[in-house]
Amino acid sequence: GVTFVFFALFLFLPPVVVFQEAFDKGVGVILATFKDPFTLHAIGLTLLVAAIAVPLNTAFGLAAAWCVTRY
């Protein structure tokens, strides 16, 4: 029981604290950041890199899994 509580706190407490601090000044401040062109560019770049990395990781992961099981 103690281990379960420790791992639950270890996993869930940090995101709760991050969201609490993020929403501390209100939702308006967060929404205002989406008007910044640097923020929009960073989000676009993140989505572009994810769109490239996910298929590549899938392909190389499948190839590695096939090699491990085959040889």
Side-chain angles (χ1 to χ4, degrees):
V2 174
T3 304
F4 179 74
V5 170
F6 172 75
F7 280 120
L9 288 175
F10 189 74
L11 290 174
F12 296 118
L13 191 61
V16 168
V17 172
V18 167
F19 280 109
Q20 178 188 1
E21 291 294 322
F23 288 109
D24 195 31
K25 294 182 182 177
V27 178
V29 175
I30 295 172
L31 294 177
T33 60
F34 289 108
K35 295 178 183 175
D36 184 20
F38 291 116
T39 302
L40 295 176
H41 185 267
I43 291 170
L45 185 61
T46 300
L47 293 174
L48 174 68
V49 169
I52 294 169
V54 168
L56 286 175
N57 281 337
T58 302
F60 284 113
L62 286 172
W66 180 77
C67 287
V68 166
T69 57
R70 181 78 175 153
Y71 302 107

